[in-house]
Amino acid sequence: MFVGSTGDRHTFLILNRHINGAHRLLTEAGFTARAHHGRTVYLLPPGTADDAIERAGAAAYRLLAHTMDCVDLANTTRYSAAGPLPEPDVRFRFTDGEVTATAGGIRAGILLTLHGFTPAAAGTRCTLEPRLDERDAVNTVVRAEAHLRSEDFDVSIDLGIATPEAIPPAPRRTTTTDPSTPAPQHSRPRTR
């Protein structure tokens, strides 16, 4: 399961494999199902009320009983009862096969380097090794985000997907030579 957000503030959820009852659970919780590039994308529009986001999140959480393969990189599902979210201390951005991070301070920058980001000459901008495949890059961002949040940093992630229509098709699954070995599961859609 992959949860993300688009530049126009839609929240989207994609299941990488069939889970019995998931469609009903998600649509009853407020997601709209849309066929897109041969799979179903579940959407919450911008401006969805916090209580509706909470119901949708609870529905997605219930799916964890069926899969532990879950990545949540949606900025649109994060909110604070105390008011607007503060400006993030760290911004991650996926663009054209590159992952960058901008740190608002030295301590955040140090944490990024612990996760494999290399500081650029300019100072606050860091890049992730370009030789990493997409899955490893996403996993690195997930680990870095969790570490930063555990240290009370606010984090923002831009997947480089402007609108729901721009959500890329699922990557092709590679076949294996041993029929008893399952094909790899992809944890998120490809970004551009």
Side-chain angles (χ1 to χ4, degrees), residues 78-107:
R78 295 169 179 38
Y79 64 93
S80 168
L85 290 173
E87 281 296 311
D89 300 301
V90 177
R91 294 177 188 269
F92 291 99
R93 180 156 171 79
F94 289 80
T95 55
D96 299 324
E98 180 181 56
V99 181
T100 58
T102 305
I106 294 170
R107 200 172 115 224

mmCIF file of all heavy atoms in Angstrom, residues 78-107:
data_model
loop_
_atom_site.group_PDB
_atom_site.id
_atom_site.type_symbol
_atom_site.label_atom_id
_atom_site.label_comp_id
_atom_site.label_asym_id
_atom_site.label_seq_id
_atom_site.Cartn_x
_atom_site.Cartn_y
_atom_site.Cartn_z
ATOM 1 N N ARG A 78 -1.276 15.025 7.217
ATOM 2 C CA ARG A 78 -0.720 15.520 8.468
ATOM 3 C C ARG A 78 -1.363 16.854 8.807
ATOM 4 O O ARG A 78 -1.413 17.759 7.993
ATOM 5 C CB ARG A 78 0.787 15.668 8.346
ATOM 6 C CG ARG A 78 1.489 14.330 8.150
ATOM 7 C CD ARG A 78 2.916 14.514 7.769
ATOM 8 N NE ARG A 78 3.785 13.408 7.560
ATOM 9 C CZ ARG A 78 3.552 12.247 6.998
ATOM 10 N NH1 ARG A 78 2.356 11.948 6.617
ATOM 11 N NH2 ARG A 78 4.467 11.338 6.817
ATOM 12 N N TYR A 79 -1.851 16.960 10.034
ATOM 13 C CA TYR A 79 -2.458 18.215 10.479
ATOM 14 C C TYR A 79 -2.272 18.329 11.978
ATOM 15 O O TYR A 79 -1.905 17.378 12.656
ATOM 16 C CB TYR A 79 -3.934 18.289 10.093
ATOM 17 C CG TYR A 79 -4.787 17.229 10.757
ATOM 18 C CD1 TYR A 79 -5.443 17.482 11.950
ATOM 19 C CD2 TYR A 79 -4.930 15.969 10.177
ATOM 20 C CE1 TYR A 79 -6.217 16.499 12.555
ATOM 21 C CE2 TYR A 79 -5.699 14.990 10.784
ATOM 22 C CZ TYR A 79 -6.334 15.262 11.974
ATOM 23 O OH TYR A 79 -7.096 14.295 12.579
ATOM 24 N N SER A 80 -2.541 19.500 12.480
ATOM 25 C CA SER A 80 -2.384 19.751 13.904
ATOM 26 C C SER A 80 -3.667 20.371 14.431
ATOM 27 O O SER A 80 -4.209 21.308 13.839
ATOM 28 C CB SER A 80 -1.212 20.711 14.133
ATOM 29 O OG SER A 80 -1.216 21.185 15.452
ATOM 30 N N ALA A 81 -4.143 19.868 15.563
ATOM 31 C CA ALA A 81 -5.335 20.439 16.195
ATOM 32 C C ALA A 81 -5.045 21.847 16.695
ATOM 33 O O ALA A 81 -5.964 22.642 16.883
ATOM 34 C CB ALA A 81 -5.787 19.537 17.346
ATOM 35 N N ALA A 82 -3.767 22.168 16.889
ATOM 36 C CA ALA A 82 -3.378 23.488 17.396
ATOM 37 C C ALA A 82 -3.369 24.561 16.308
ATOM 38 O O ALA A 82 -3.148 25.722 16.602
ATOM 39 C CB ALA A 82 -2.009 23.403 18.044
ATOM 40 N N GLY A 83 -3.600 24.188 15.063
ATOM 41 C CA GLY A 83 -3.596 25.171 13.989
ATOM 42 C C GLY A 83 -2.786 24.698 12.809
ATOM 43 O O GLY A 83 -2.483 23.509 12.698
ATOM 44 N N PRO A 84 -2.414 25.616 11.917
ATOM 45 C CA PRO A 84 -1.659 25.232 10.721
ATOM 46 C C PRO A 84 -0.330 24.578 11.081
ATOM 47 O O PRO A 84 0.281 24.891 12.099
ATOM 48 C CB PRO A 84 -1.428 26.561 9.993
ATOM 49 C CG PRO A 84 -2.325 27.549 10.631
ATOM 50 C CD PRO A 84 -2.660 27.038 11.994
ATOM 51 N N LEU A 85 0.092 23.674 10.217
ATOM 52 C CA LEU A 85 1.380 23.031 10.419
ATOM 53 C C LEU A 85 2.497 24.053 10.258
ATOM 54 O O LEU A 85 2.411 24.953 9.425
ATOM 55 C CB LEU A 85 1.575 21.901 9.410
ATOM 56 C CG LEU A 85 0.711 20.667 9.594
ATOM 57 C CD1 LEU A 85 0.903 19.706 8.424
ATOM 58 C CD2 LEU A 85 1.031 19.978 10.908
ATOM 59 N N PRO A 86 3.552 23.925 11.058
ATOM 60 C CA PRO A 86 4.679 24.853 10.906
ATOM 61 C C PRO A 86 5.419 24.587 9.598
ATOM 62 O O PRO A 86 5.260 23.536 8.985
ATOM 63 C CB PRO A 86 5.562 24.512 12.117
ATOM 64 C CG PRO A 86 5.214 23.104 12.460
ATOM 65 C CD PRO A 86 3.773 22.914 12.080
ATOM 66 N N GLU A 87 6.229 25.550 9.203
ATOM 67 C CA GLU A 87 7.091 25.344 8.037
ATOM 68 C C GLU A 87 8.009 24.169 8.338
ATOM 69 O O GLU A 87 8.535 24.060 9.450
ATOM 70 C CB GLU A 87 7.920 26.597 7.745
ATOM 71 C CG GLU A 87 7.160 27.674 7.023
ATOM 72 C CD GLU A 87 6.724 27.233 5.647
ATOM 73 O OE1 GLU A 87 7.557 26.707 4.870
ATOM 74 O OE2 GLU A 87 5.537 27.405 5.345
ATOM 75 N N PRO A 88 8.206 23.280 7.373
ATOM 76 C CA PRO A 88 9.043 22.102 7.646
ATOM 77 C C PRO A 88 10.518 22.467 7.844
ATOM 78 O O PRO A 88 11.019 23.408 7.243
ATOM 79 C CB PRO A 88 8.854 21.239 6.403
ATOM 80 C CG PRO A 88 8.405 22.175 5.345
ATOM 81 C CD PRO A 88 7.672 23.285 6.022
ATOM 82 N N ASP A 89 11.169 21.689 8.711
ATOM 83 C CA ASP A 89 12.608 21.842 8.928
ATOM 84 C C ASP A 89 13.387 21.186 7.794
ATOM 85 O O ASP A 89 14.502 21.584 7.488
ATOM 86 C CB ASP A 89 13.014 21.175 10.248
ATOM 87 C CG ASP A 89 12.298 21.790 11.434
ATOM 88 O OD1 ASP A 89 12.441 23.003 11.645
ATOM 89 O OD2 ASP A 89 11.582 21.041 12.138
ATOM 90 N N VAL A 90 12.772 20.129 7.203
ATOM 91 C CA VAL A 90 13.425 19.384 6.122
ATOM 92 C C VAL A 90 12.399 19.158 5.022
ATOM 93 O O VAL A 90 11.259 18.788 5.281
ATOM 94 C CB VAL A 90 13.973 18.023 6.617
ATOM 95 C CG1 VAL A 90 14.577 17.231 5.469
ATOM 96 C CG2 VAL A 90 14.980 18.224 7.735
ATOM 97 N N ARG A 91 12.816 19.395 3.789
ATOM 98 C CA ARG A 91 11.970 19.145 2.615
ATOM 99 C C ARG A 91 12.657 18.120 1.728
ATOM 100 O O ARG A 91 13.789 18.330 1.305
ATOM 101 C CB ARG A 91 11.749 20.421 1.810
ATOM 102 C CG ARG A 91 10.959 21.478 2.516
ATOM 103 C CD ARG A 91 10.867 22.738 1.632
ATOM 104 N NE ARG A 91 10.271 23.829 2.359
ATOM 105 C CZ ARG A 91 8.968 24.084 2.379
ATOM 106 N NH1 ARG A 91 8.154 23.331 1.680
ATOM 107 N NH2 ARG A 91 8.489 25.099 3.068
ATOM 108 N N PHE A 92 11.938 17.018 1.452
ATOM 109 C CA PHE A 92 12.418 16.023 0.489
ATOM 110 C C PHE A 92 11.715 16.291 -0.827
ATOM 111 O O PHE A 92 10.554 16.683 -0.851
ATOM 112 C CB PHE A 92 12.070 14.599 0.945
ATOM 113 C CG PHE A 92 12.833 14.136 2.153
ATOM 114 C CD1 PHE A 92 12.265 14.187 3.410
ATOM 115 C CD2 PHE A 92 14.120 13.624 2.007
ATOM 116 C CE1 PHE A 92 12.964 13.739 4.521
ATOM 117 C CE2 PHE A 92 14.818 13.175 3.114
ATOM 118 C CZ PHE A 92 14.244 13.236 4.373
ATOM 119 N N ARG A 93 12.406 16.047 -1.942
ATOM 120 C CA ARG A 93 11.797 16.228 -3.261
ATOM 121 C C ARG A 93 12.302 15.142 -4.210
ATOM 122 O O ARG A 93 13.504 14.922 -4.327
ATOM 123 C CB ARG A 93 12.136 17.599 -3.819
ATOM 124 C CG ARG A 93 11.534 17.836 -5.187
ATOM 125 C CD ARG A 93 11.370 19.310 -5.477
ATOM 126 N NE ARG A 93 10.996 19.561 -6.836
ATOM 127 C CZ ARG A 93 9.772 19.440 -7.334
ATOM 128 N NH1 ARG A 93 8.785 19.062 -6.567
ATOM 129 N NH2 ARG A 93 9.517 19.702 -8.593
ATOM 130 N N PHE A 94 11.325 14.488 -4.866
ATOM 131 C CA PHE A 94 11.625 13.499 -5.909
ATOM 132 C C PHE A 94 11.420 14.189 -7.254
ATOM 133 O O PHE A 94 10.326 14.679 -7.539
ATOM 134 C CB PHE A 94 10.642 12.323 -5.826
ATOM 135 C CG PHE A 94 10.838 11.426 -4.637
ATOM 136 C CD1 PHE A 94 10.358 11.772 -3.388
ATOM 137 C CD2 PHE A 94 11.507 10.213 -4.781
ATOM 138 C CE1 PHE A 94 10.527 10.937 -2.294
ATOM 139 C CE2 PHE A 94 11.689 9.374 -3.699
ATOM 140 C CZ PHE A 94 11.191 9.735 -2.449
ATOM 141 N N THR A 95 12.463 14.254 -8.091
ATOM 142 C CA THR A 95 12.334 14.826 -9.431
ATOM 143 C C THR A 95 13.286 14.126 -10.383
ATOM 144 O O THR A 95 14.453 13.908 -10.055
ATOM 145 C CB THR A 95 12.677 16.333 -9.469
ATOM 146 O OG1 THR A 95 13.968 16.525 -8.931
ATOM 147 C CG2 THR A 95 11.672 17.179 -8.738
ATOM 148 N N ASP A 96 12.774 13.791 -11.546
ATOM 149 C CA ASP A 96 13.605 13.248 -12.632
ATOM 150 C C ASP A 96 14.624 12.215 -12.160
ATOM 151 O O ASP A 96 15.802 12.282 -12.527
ATOM 152 C CB ASP A 96 14.314 14.376 -13.379
ATOM 153 C CG ASP A 96 13.342 15.347 -14.015
ATOM 154 O OD1 ASP A 96 12.287 14.878 -14.485
ATOM 155 O OD2 ASP A 96 13.621 16.559 -14.032
ATOM 156 N N GLY A 97 14.189 11.285 -11.339
ATOM 157 C CA GLY A 97 15.072 10.232 -10.867
ATOM 158 C C GLY A 97 16.050 10.670 -9.790
ATOM 159 O O GLY A 97 16.926 9.914 -9.385
ATOM 160 N N GLU A 98 15.928 11.894 -9.307
ATOM 161 C CA GLU A 98 16.818 12.413 -8.276
ATOM 162 C C GLU A 98 16.018 12.676 -7.004
ATOM 163 O O GLU A 98 14.866 13.092 -7.060
ATOM 164 C CB GLU A 98 17.475 13.716 -8.744
ATOM 165 C CG GLU A 98 18.418 14.306 -7.725
ATOM 166 C CD GLU A 98 19.047 15.612 -8.193
ATOM 167 O OE1 GLU A 98 18.300 16.550 -8.534
ATOM 168 O OE2 GLU A 98 20.288 15.678 -8.197
ATOM 169 N N VAL A 99 16.636 12.414 -5.856
ATOM 170 C CA VAL A 99 16.020 12.724 -4.573
ATOM 171 C C VAL A 99 16.910 13.738 -3.882
ATOM 172 O O VAL A 99 18.112 13.507 -3.699
ATOM 173 C CB VAL A 99 15.872 11.468 -3.682
ATOM 174 C CG1 VAL A 99 15.207 11.834 -2.367
ATOM 175 C CG2 VAL A 99 15.072 10.391 -4.395
ATOM 176 N N THR A 100 16.315 14.875 -3.527
ATOM 177 C CA THR A 100 17.057 15.907 -2.813
ATOM 178 C C THR A 100 16.369 16.182 -1.479
ATOM 179 O O THR A 100 15.196 15.884 -1.297
ATOM 180 C CB THR A 100 17.133 17.220 -3.620
ATOM 181 O OG1 THR A 100 15.801 17.670 -3.889
ATOM 182 C CG2 THR A 100 17.893 17.032 -4.921
ATOM 183 N N ALA A 101 17.125 16.751 -0.576
ATOM 184 C CA ALA A 101 16.586 17.173 0.712
ATOM 185 C C ALA A 101 17.184 18.531 1.030
ATOM 186 O O ALA A 101 18.364 18.780 0.760
ATOM 187 C CB ALA A 101 16.924 16.167 1.797
ATOM 188 N N THR A 102 16.367 19.398 1.584
ATOM 189 C CA THR A 102 16.834 20.703 2.028
ATOM 190 C C THR A 102 16.633 20.760 3.531
ATOM 191 O O THR A 102 15.512 20.586 4.013
ATOM 192 C CB THR A 102 16.049 21.845 1.336
ATOM 193 O OG1 THR A 102 16.144 21.655 -0.076
ATOM 194 C CG2 THR A 102 16.606 23.196 1.707
ATOM 195 N N ALA A 103 17.711 20.982 4.259
ATOM 196 C CA ALA A 103 17.661 21.015 5.718
ATOM 197 C C ALA A 103 17.702 22.454 6.201
ATOM 198 O O ALA A 103 18.470 23.264 5.689
ATOM 199 C CB ALA A 103 18.839 20.235 6.297
ATOM 200 N N GLY A 104 16.871 22.744 7.187
ATOM 201 C CA GLY A 104 16.812 24.095 7.739
ATOM 202 C C GLY A 104 17.832 24.370 8.820
ATOM 203 O O GLY A 104 17.854 25.445 9.388
ATOM 204 N N GLY A 105 18.677 23.413 9.120
ATOM 205 C CA GLY A 105 19.681 23.628 10.158
ATOM 206 C C GLY A 105 20.759 22.559 10.125
ATOM 207 O O GLY A 105 20.633 21.537 9.451
ATOM 208 N N ILE A 106 21.801 22.791 10.881
ATOM 209 C CA ILE A 106 22.956 21.894 10.890
ATOM 210 C C ILE A 106 22.581 20.517 11.432
ATOM 211 O O ILE A 106 22.960 19.494 10.864
ATOM 212 C CB ILE A 106 24.108 22.512 11.715
ATOM 213 C CG1 ILE A 106 24.619 23.771 11.009
ATOM 214 C CG2 ILE A 106 25.235 21.508 11.922
ATOM 215 C CD1 ILE A 106 25.586 24.587 11.837
ATOM 216 N N ARG A 107 21.822 20.466 12.529
ATOM 217 C CA ARG A 107 21.480 19.183 13.131
ATOM 218 C C ARG A 107 20.663 18.315 12.177
ATOM 219 O O ARG A 107 20.908 17.113 12.042
ATOM 220 C CB ARG A 107 20.708 19.417 14.447
ATOM 221 C CG ARG A 107 20.748 18.217 15.349
ATOM 222 C CD ARG A 107 20.152 18.515 16.700
ATOM 223 N NE ARG A 107 18.978 17.677 16.785
ATOM 224 C CZ ARG A 107 17.797 18.039 17.223
ATOM 225 N NH1 ARG A 107 17.596 19.248 17.658
ATOM 226 N NH2 ARG A 107 16.807 17.194 17.250
#
